[in-house]
Amino acid sequence: MIKESKVDAIVIPLFKNQNSFTGYAKEIDGFLNKKISTLIKNGDFKGDKNEILLYPDQSLTSKRLILLGLGLIKDCNLETIRNASASIALYIRDKNFKSYSTSIFGEELDSNLSDFIQAQIEGTKLSLYTFNKFKSDKKSLPKPINSLNIYVKDSKKHKEISSVIKETEYIAEGISLARDIANTPGNNMTPSIIANIAQNISSENSLKCEIFDEKKMKELGMGGLLSVSQGSNEPAKLIVIRHDGGNNDPIVIIGKGVTFDSGGISIKPSPKMDEMKFDKSGAATVIGAIKSISLLKLPINVIAIVPLTENLLSGSSYKPGDVITHYGGKTSEIMNTDAEGRLILADALSYSLTYKPKAIIDFATLTGACIVALGTHASGLFSNNKKLARDLFNSGQITGEPVWELPLWQPYYDQIKSDVADIKNTGSGGGGGAITAAAFLANFVNKQTPWAHLDIAGTAWIQSNPGDKKYFSKGSTGVGVRLIIRYLQQQCKLK
Ligand code: BES
Ligand code: ZN
Ligand code: ZN
């Protein structure tokens, strides 16, 4: 019985204007002589989204009841659930409560129960993430919550719910890893450090990991990655991590790993340049994702490829006007050394074709222009394959990581024609910067292989808190981990 639960608080989720109760709300309202009904009738609790009312009551084992608003039932979706579960988790932590009990939010709705429970656990786990490794005064940091009990009336559903909870915890682990990698500043998260992390998670999770050093890159002719890296003292790395879970041609996921992007010789302005530690967010996403994929034991082959470098300026930096040769032999003319992401991705994309992939999906904080186009509410999606684009769009709608497709038409390719090389690395001021960047990448995949590029420049981190997503705090969001996992789970089901 939830009312006897030995915790610091019992949390009852309620919709706005709900005039009759079901489940645990009904049970507790009855037990407390209609206290919940009275609080609502008197206008003390309305049930607005994320509204919280704490009500002390000595007759409950927990001594206190908390009412949590979910808003109008007709507006309730997975994002409502994530935000509500985040709001209450943060409230519980702020109050320094150690444990709480609740039910499945929106259980009474006739919806997909496992998606709802997943959203609830995501909201809880993601909101409680902290990044405090550089804070020396550990005493003033938020204290962890020890336990959350979720009560489910229908015992037939216990097994299904437990496995969804476990799976969501695995996904949350990958997201935390991604956020840690992205949040850590460039001096503590160099290409070599990320390569070590990749090796560690691989050996802990039975993944196969290969690290290419600069010598190997030279042998392979990865001129994009080597050129961007040549102005830095930190050696470039390229990581290949394999999850062998099935017998399909692999799905390759690629992440841009610029551990710090100063812009190089085409230097960026100083304000907000610190944020360019987040330019490794694509790398963080695919490393986090492959960890989750392995924990989830997805019955599918997946390969993560991560090109890693700094983009700095020095006497040995690459320069505007340089022509470089990528893996596979295509050449590009450098118009702007700040358009470095596409150069390192070019090598990774063309190299990924050697695995004969079933699909290639890359994640990159590629362009400021994508933020101009879509703001921070959606990642840019670019693809040579309608079905892949649709599958990723659908995944984004469910996971709360929306993506929006932009066109890859011929005139955008024309914008990156070069006079001296095969292509040039910017559209030379013709506008459509997110698209010309994607068109550049498209030159390094073939038409037969489904490929999608996700520009996460606007979604990979948030500058201020609180935003509209209560489950994120300032800093990295780990965007893309949930998106790619949902997409892969869907592919597994279709096999
Ligand atoms: N890493 C940046 C893109 C970026 C900027 C992401 C701001 C998130 C926030 C990328 O390497 C870059 O600098 N792109 C240039 C391209 C331009 C020179 C064609 C840009 O977007 O300005
Ligand atoms: Zn740049
Ligand atoms: Zn960059």
Side-chain angles (χ1 to χ4, degrees):
M1 295 293 266
I2 197 166
K3 68 177 170 9
E4 284 144 18
S5 138
K6 290 194 182 67
V7 285
D8 291 330
I10 293 173
V11 175
I12 301 290
L14 292 168
F15 288 106
K16 192 178 168 89
N17 301 340
Q18 198 175 336
N19 36 31
S20 67
F21 299 136
T22 54
Y24 294 112
K26 188 174 176 186
E27 179 186 314
I28 298 216
D29 196 42
F31 177 73
L32 297 180
N33 301 322
K34 304 267 168 222
K35 191 69 219 176
I36 301 179
S37 311
T38 313
L39 286 167
I40 294 173
K41 208 181 300 147
N42 293 347
D44 292 320
F45 181 79
K46 295 192 175 59
D48 286 328
K49 277 184 184 171
N50 310 317
E51 181 183 351
I52 290 171
L53 179 77
L54 182 123
Y55 171 72
D57 192 300
Q58 299 308 315
S59 57
L60 291 165
T61 320
S62 72
K63 307 274 188 285
R64 38 183 105 75
L65 186 69
I66 296 176
L67 305 185
L68 170 65
L70 299 178
L72 289 171
I73 201 159
K74 71 172 177 57
D75 297 334
C76 181
N77 57 33
L78 296 173
E79 202 56 8
T80 317
I81 302 296
R82 286 185 199 100
N83 281 317
S85 61
S87 302
I88 195 63
L90 293 171
Y91 179 87
I92 296 276
R93 188 176 68 183
D94 282 352
K95 290 269 176 201
N96 216 358
F97 295 160
K98 291 290 148 225
S99 56
Y100 61 115
S101 289
T102 191
S103 55
I104 298 178
F105 298 177
E107 192 177 11
E108 53 273 64
L109 292 174
D110 195 17
S111 303
N112 187 331
L113 189 72
S114 41
D115 286 348
F116 269 68
I117 182 86
Q118 175 162 355
Q120 188 174 339
I121 304 302
E122 281 171 356
T124 308
K125 284 268 168 187
L126 298 187
S127 66
L128 295 175
Y129 169 85
T130 54
F131 182 73
N132 290 322
K133 69 175 161 187
F134 297 108
K135 291 275 190 195
S136 53
D137 180 12
K138 304 285 182 209
K139 283 198 297 296
S140 62
L141 300 176
K143 306 276 181 306
I145 298 169
N146 297 335
S147 73
L148 160 59
N149 309 315
I150 296 179
Y151 282 72
V152 184
K153 283 245 162 197
D154 185 349
S155 62
K156 286 200 292 296
K157 291 183 185 154
H158 280 186
K159 213 167 151 226
E160 180 198 347
I161 290 167
S162 309
S163 77
V164 176
I165 293 176
K166 192 80 235 155
E167 282 177 23
T168 312
E169 283 176 339
Y170 288 152
I171 297 169
E173 264 191 60
I175 300 171
S176 285
L177 173 63
R179 290 168 92 180
D180 283 347
I181 292 174
N183 281 330
T184 304
N187 62 335
N188 283 280
M189 205 42 86
T190 59
S192 305
I193 295 174
I194 297 182
N196 282 338
I197 293 175
Q199 247 154 355
N200 291 341
I201 62 149
S202 298
S203 52
E204 285 158 15
N205 295 283
S206 58
L207 291 160
K208 297 191 184 109
C209 182
E210 265 180 285
I211 311 281
F212 297 3
D213 59 12
E214 290 185 347
K215 182 164 163 276
K216 171 94 177 173
M217 290 170 208
K218 277 188 196 117
E219 280 163 27
L220 291 170
M222 294 183 159
L225 183 50
L226 286 166
S227 298
V228 174
S229 180
Q230 75 194 32
S232 160
N233 292 335
E234 289 291 337
K237 302 281 172 191
L238 184 127
I239 311 174
V240 179
I241 311 175
R242 302 176 67 122
H243 166 77
D244 294 333
N247 41 29
N248 59 299
D249 288 336
I251 294 178
V252 172
I253 53 177
I254 298 178
K256 170 180 172 182
V258 175
T259 58
F260 184 74
D261 181 12
S262 70
I265 298 294
S266 318
I267 192 168
K268 287 183 180 294
S270 296
K272 299 215 283 184
M273 203 205 267
D274 58 293
E275 291 190 5
M276 283 299 116
K277 69 170 186 178
F278 292 117
D279 212 21
K280 50 180 154 46
S281 295
T285 292
V286 307
I287 295 170
I290 200 103
K291 179 174 181 187
S292 297
I293 290 164
S294 163
L295 289 167
L296 290 164
K297 299 196 169 52
L298 291 191
I300 191 167
N301 293 336
V302 184
I303 302 180
I305 302 182
V306 184
L308 290 157
T309 178
E310 292 186 324
N311 185 22
L312 295 184
L313 358 58
S314 76
S316 57
S317 293
Y318 79 131
K319 299 170 288 294
D322 287 357
V323 172
I324 64 177
T325 306
H326 294 278
Y327 179 85
K330 275 203 180 142
T331 57
S332 59
E333 182 188 8
I334 307 308
M335 307 307 289
N336 189 316
T337 62
D338 196 11
E340 82 299 337
R342 63 199 77 183
L343 303 174
I344 71 170
L345 289 170
D347 289 341
L349 286 165
S350 52
Y351 181 72
S352 77
L353 294 173
T354 62
Y355 294 104
K356 307 222 172 340
K358 196 172 148 217
I360 307 169
I361 301 163
D362 76 72
F363 294 87
T365 46
L366 206 62
T367 65
C370 192
I371 314 179
V372 176
L374 297 172
T376 57
H377 311 300
S379 303
L381 165 67
F382 307 82
S383 184
N384 62 2
N385 184 285
K386 286 205 167 67
K387 177 165 185 326
L388 177 58
R390 199 178 50 232
D391 287 348
L392 288 169
F393 174 81
N394 290 339
S395 170
Q397 291 300 296
I398 303 233
T399 57
E401 297 187 321
V403 299
W404 191 255
E405 192 172 7
L406 294 170
L408 273 175
W409 294 323
Q410 186 56 40
Y412 298 106
Y413 289 88
D414 295 342
Q415 266 181 269
I416 53 167
K417 278 186 183 156
S418 163
D419 296 332
V420 295
D422 295 336
I423 44 174
K424 59 184 182 182
N425 81 333
T426 74
S428 296
I435 310 178
T436 50
F440 182 96
L441 299 181
N443 275 278
F444 296 89
V445 289
N446 55 41
K447 293 214 165 57
Q448 309 81 272
T449 311
W451 157 77
H453 156 59
L454 290 151
D455 193 331
I456 56 170
T459 50
W461 72 94
I462 51 174
Q463 285 159 343
S464 60
N465 193 44
D468 54 347
K469 291 187 187 288
K470 310 242 171 283
Y471 48 93
F472 285 143
S473 43
K474 192 172 176 229
S476 169
T477 60
V479 72
V481 176
R482 287 180 288 147
L483 180 86
I484 193 71
I485 290 188
R486 179 85 189 189
Y487 165 79
L488 292 172
Q489 284 173 329
Q490 222 57 37
Q491 299 304 302
C492 296
K493 279 190 198 147
L494 299 175
K495 272 204 309 171

